[in-house]
Amino acid sequence: MSRLVVDARLAGHSGIGTYLDAMLPRVSARLPMWRPLVLARSALRDQLAGHLGGTAEVREWDTPALSVADLFARPPGIDSDDLLWTPHFNVPRFGGQALAVTLHDILPLTAPALAGFGRSLPVRWWMSAVRSRARVVFCVSSFTRSEALRHCGLDAGRVRVTPLGVGAAWRNGESCGPATRSAPPTMIFVGLLKPHKNVARLLRAFASVRERIPHVLVLVGRHRDLRHVDREALSLAAALGHRVELVEQLPLPELVARVRAADFAVLPSLHEGFGLPALEAMAVGTPVLAGCAGALPEVCGNAALYCDPLSEEDIAARLVELATDAALRARLSVAGRARAGEFSWEACADATAAGLDSALAAPERG
């Protein structure tokens, strides 16, 4: 009998880790007939087993995800008739198992300079396996789906859009009453400090207007031991002294509190496959300034203020606009909460489980 096998080695990471944390228990509970098996790093095996509450078996797989070794790895304990679901494009290139894949973005193929030197070739190899063996591909946005169809030659009939959701911590934050604003006031960025996040341009824009507004720019994002970190952004943040607070990472309750306390959140990315930090900020009523790029307009709709992410002047103008216009912030706060209410992990899990069930039940098409 076929089995659903899930590659969960990226559990605990930002972004995809959030996706796995939300989806694994929900999907496993929806598909018990397919005897879910979750493959996880040994350091997180017991934690994941507890999180899943008996809805899936958990085994160890310690080949580092997205490494050179991962290009040649075979998942342990998988049979030829099983379906392997991977939460990113790093699928096993050997073994021949049918695949289900979630694509968050394909940045190494669409903007190699932003993704980092040398990443496009292995991603092309991985996507070749996705193209030939995936029975279903889940894309977190219509933008990502269109990019995948354009650059990877996927069968459009197998590619589904499954938008992400907002976790309970952010939903609960919405119901906590008015936030206590920071003093001095803050604007906040949340995300990895990688070049496509456009933090260096944000910092230069902020530096140009810092004498006109009282805000501190808070940057919450992993930057230590990060491949292809934005070193220019780190240097600029240090140069701006007390007007910039750089935080490696925060426990989730503290992160929610910091986002709620900010006057507004800013995500001026050059590329986003979805843009979860923008959606989470909107869920707690924090206005959002977003780059008009990637999936951000699709996710934020009319509930955010947009900037041209390639223009420091436009970013600077929009920072001043949000920092000085309380009525605008109030309007975006209401609109953002309503917009975030349209996204849920339950809906994402329903659509994903339906796609996996179909892929498990039907033989691969030729």
Side-chain angles (χ1 to χ4, degrees):
M1 178 182 175
S2 298
R3 188 172 200 181
L4 173 64
V5 182
V6 187
D7 178 359
R9 289 174 296 157
L10 287 170
H13 289 237
S14 61
I16 293 174
T18 300
Y19 174 79
L20 285 168
D21 183 65
M23 295 296 285
L24 282 176
R26 290 175 170 88
V27 169
S28 297
R30 284 164 168 79
L31 299 174
M33 73 292 288
W34 296 112
R35 304 172 300 130
L37 167 65
V38 174
L39 304 176
R41 290 175 290 145
S42 56
L44 290 181
R45 182 191 178 282
D46 292 343
Q47 179 181 329
L48 264 181
H51 182 53
L52 292 169
T55 60
E57 179 186 355
V58 182
R59 295 184 193 172
E60 296 177 5
W61 186 15
D62 280 324
T63 300
L66 298 168
S67 66
V68 173
D70 203 21
L71 287 167
F72 307 97
R74 297 180 185 229
I78 187 170
D79 295 329
S80 59
D81 60 345
D82 291 337
L83 179 75
L84 177 66
W85 174 30
T86 66
H88 203 18
F89 43 58
N90 59 314
V91 301
R93 296 177 57 232
F94 306 102
Q97 288 85 14
L99 302 171
V101 181
T102 299
L103 294 180
H104 298 264
D105 65 69
I106 53 168
L107 183 64
L109 301 184
T110 60
L114 290 175
F117 176 75
R119 290 200 65 203
S120 61
L121 182 57
V123 173
R124 289 189 187 282
W125 289 339
W126 278 316
M127 290 306 302
S128 176
V130 172
R131 185 165 54 249
S132 63
R133 290 161 42 207
R135 295 184 183 179
V136 63
V137 177
F138 305 109
C139 292
V140 300
S141 64
S142 294
F143 168 77
T144 294
R145 182 180 188 273
S146 66
E147 294 282 276
L149 294 178
R150 181 181 307 114
H151 293 274
C152 303
L154 302 181
D155 177 354
R158 302 188 189 190
V159 185
R160 307 183 180 200
V161 177
T162 50
L164 306 183
V166 179
W170 301 96
R171 298 287 188 199
N172 293 340
E174 177 186 356
S175 63
C176 293
T180 300
R181 295 298 175 193
S182 301
T186 60
M187 60 182 81
I188 190 166
F189 164 89
V190 179
L192 296 175
L193 262 66
K194 290 191 171 185
H196 73 279
K197 297 294 186 178
N198 207 25
V199 177
R201 196 174 272 112
L202 167 63
L203 284 162
R204 288 194 295 269
F206 175 68
S208 72
V209 297
R210 70 186 186 277
E211 300 303 326
R212 298 167 56 190
I213 57 177
H215 294 67
V216 169
L217 172 56
V218 180
L219 304 175
V220 183
R222 183 176 155 222
H223 51 278
R224 298 189 181 96
D225 301 319
L226 183 67
R227 288 180 293 182
H228 201 46
V229 68
D230 190 341
R231 300 194 181 281
E232 182 185 5
L234 292 176
S235 296
L236 288 167
L240 286 167
H242 70 280
R243 294 299 299 274
V244 174
E245 180 184 356
L246 180 59
V247 183
E248 174 74 12
Q249 60 186 113
L250 294 171
L252 183 57
E254 188 175 347
L255 176 61
V256 174
R258 292 297 296 269
V259 173
R260 290 188 77 234
D263 271 8
F264 59 96
V266 58
L267 193 65
S269 301
L270 299 168
H271 184 286
E272 289 288 344
F274 186 82
L276 192 56
L279 187 68
E280 290 170 339
M282 291 193 296
V284 294
T286 299
V288 169
L289 172 60
C292 192
L296 286 170
E298 175 185 344
V299 171
C300 298
N302 295 324
L305 183 68
Y306 292 98
C307 62
D308 176 356
L310 293 172
S311 169
E312 291 175 26
E313 293 77 11
D314 193 53
I315 296 171
R318 302 289 80 75
L319 291 177
V320 172
E321 185 177 1
L322 264 177
T324 59
D325 191 337
L328 173 62
R329 295 198 303 271
R331 179 178 65 78
L332 290 176
S333 176
V334 173
R337 281 182 168 142
R339 180 66 175 174
E342 299 175 19
F343 296 81
S344 78
W345 287 119
E346 297 302 327
C348 185
D350 285 343
T352 303
L356 292 170
D357 187 50
S358 296
L360 282 155
E364 184 177 8
R365 295 172 288 176

